[in-house]
Amino acid sequence: MQKVGENNASLNVREKKRKKVSEICIYALMTLIGLILVMPYFYMVMKSLMTQEEVISPQIKFFPAKPQFSNYAQILQDKGYLSAFGNTMKVILFNLIAVPVSATFIAFGFARCEFVGKKPLFAFMLSTMMLPGVVTQIPLYILYTRIGWINTLLPMTIPNLTGGGALYIFLARSFIQSLPKEIDNAAKIDGAGPLRRYFSMALPLCKPIIIYIMINVFTSNWGDYYGPLVWRLDDAFPATLAYKVFYLLQNGATGNDQVHIRMAAGVMMSLVPATLFFIFQKQLIEGVAMDGLKG
């Protein structure tokens, strides 16, 4: 019996040692991956504190000789960046209202209303998710050119009145379907029509999914440079902040112009989405898995 007890004790010690070793290996691997992911951001922060000569120097430098915090002050003094920030906020504010409201409105029709061809229409809408954006880019460019939208912010705002894409409509529909049907039936008995049921019943209960959609809309529009790059025709285009930072050159000379300033602008741009993530990380992580009556 004593030997059996000693054997069990030695097995427990070995098992604990194995667990500790595995935990150390896991934490070491996670730390290594974290450092790899943080490295580009660290590099951008360091470059934003360098002078122009240090940034374009052929020698690899990770730390500035003397931190140049004036690079950040120069951004606030540059009218180009301020006007680009204003254009970005115009796009974001419009889409923050248009996308959640239109997506939930269309989703309510698919989830709670009956009409001819509902299932085929919903299936057709979902099939658009399988199309790459490049497929519709040229037809849209021709269409927007003919109606005079090119070189304006309209292509990045007005089309989002249709729900902002099939994905948001699908997520909102799934969320509305998770709501108890008894609420909708009670509203019907009281004589409420579809519009009243949507605005009085569905829209307030959709708060969790609306927050989720709004956060994604904000981050996607905040860092969008591809859209302005496509719809821009000439210098009269009202550039957004992301386009200004990554593509619109300050003096129009070479790709090395104002790199340290654009690095500083990139750091400042990253602070907003990072702050939103820390504030709304619960909603982002839970996402569409939320129960209909949560929040």
Side-chain angles (χ1 to χ4, degrees):
M1 293 295 294
Q2 186 176 359
K3 290 183 178 179
V4 173
E6 291 178 354
N7 291 333
N8 291 334
S10 61
L11 289 174
N12 291 333
V13 172
R14 291 177 182 175
E15 187 66 25
K16 289 180 179 179
K17 288 182 178 180
R18 289 176 183 176
K19 287 183 178 180
K20 288 183 178 180
V21 172
S22 62
E23 287 179 357
I24 292 172
C25 293
I26 291 172
Y27 282 117
L29 180 62
M30 291 173 63
T31 302
L32 178 62
I33 295 174
L35 291 174
I36 294 173
L37 295 176
V38 170
M39 187 60 192
Y41 188 79
F42 173 78
Y43 183 78
M44 180 175 66
V45 173
M46 292 296 102
K47 290 295 181 181
S48 70
L49 297 174
M50 294 182 182
T51 62
Q52 175 71 8
E53 291 73 18
E54 288 180 306
V55 173
I56 64 176
S57 173
Q59 296 180 353
I60 299 177
K61 295 182 179 181
F62 288 99
F63 298 96
K66 183 179 180 181
Q68 303 292 322
F69 294 101
S70 58
N71 293 342
Y72 292 90
Q74 187 172 338
I75 297 172
L76 301 177
Q77 297 171 1
D78 191 327
K79 293 182 179 179
Y81 283 104
L82 293 179
S83 63
F85 175 77
N87 294 329
T88 302
M89 293 310 299
K90 290 178 185 177
V91 175
I92 289 176
L93 291 176
F94 181 90
N95 290 331
L96 281 179
I97 299 174
V99 174
V101 173
S102 59
T104 52
F105 183 79
I106 298 170
F108 180 79
F110 282 122
R112 289 290 187 260
C113 299
E114 296 297 331
F115 54 90
V116 178
K118 183 177 77 170
K119 291 184 178 180
L121 183 60
F122 183 72
F124 176 76
M125 183 201 69
L126 290 182
S127 67
T128 61
M129 297 173 61
M130 306 301 294
L131 292 175
V134 179
V135 174
T136 58
Q137 180 176 311
I138 295 177
L140 285 176
Y141 189 88
I142 296 173
L143 174 63
Y144 294 158
T145 301
R146 291 181 177 179
I147 62 179
W149 283 12
I150 294 298
N151 225 36
T152 68
L153 297 176
L154 295 177
M156 295 178 283
T157 53
I158 302 300
N160 288 325
L161 289 171
T162 58
L167 178 61
Y168 291 141
I169 298 174
F170 172 76
L171 296 179
R173 175 183 175 270
S174 301
F175 187 88
I176 293 174
Q177 283 185 326
S178 69
L179 298 173
K181 289 186 177 180
E182 289 76 10
I183 301 176
D184 193 63
N185 293 333
K188 287 182 180 179
I189 294 174
D190 290 339
L195 288 177
R196 186 175 179 183
R197 296 202 309 272
Y198 167 73
F199 285 105
S200 301
M201 181 270 296
L203 192 59
L205 292 176
C206 285
K207 181 181 176 182
I209 194 64
I210 287 176
I211 293 175
Y212 176 79
I213 293 175
M214 290 179 72
I215 296 171
N216 283 276
V217 167
F218 184 95
T219 54
S220 61
N221 284 275
W222 178 261
D224 179 30
Y225 66 87
Y226 182 75
L229 185 65
V230 172
W231 311 126
R232 177 185 180 273
L233 186 62
D234 52 40
D235 292 338
F237 176 74
T240 58
L241 192 57
Y243 180 81
K244 170 73 175 177
V245 170
F246 294 106
Y247 283 94
L248 192 61
L249 303 180
Q250 182 73 13
N251 298 320
T254 64
N256 289 329
D257 266 348
Q258 303 289 324
V259 177
H260 58 310
I261 302 300
R262 282 184 281 154
M263 287 288 187
V267 174
M268 293 184 68
M269 280 191 66
S270 66
L271 295 178
V272 175
T275 303
L276 282 177
F277 175 79
F278 284 113
I279 295 176
F280 297 104
Q281 59 179 316
K282 181 179 179 181
Q283 287 84 347
L284 284 171
I285 293 172
E286 291 181 353
V288 296
M290 290 181 175
D291 184 72
L293 293 179
K294 273 190 179 180

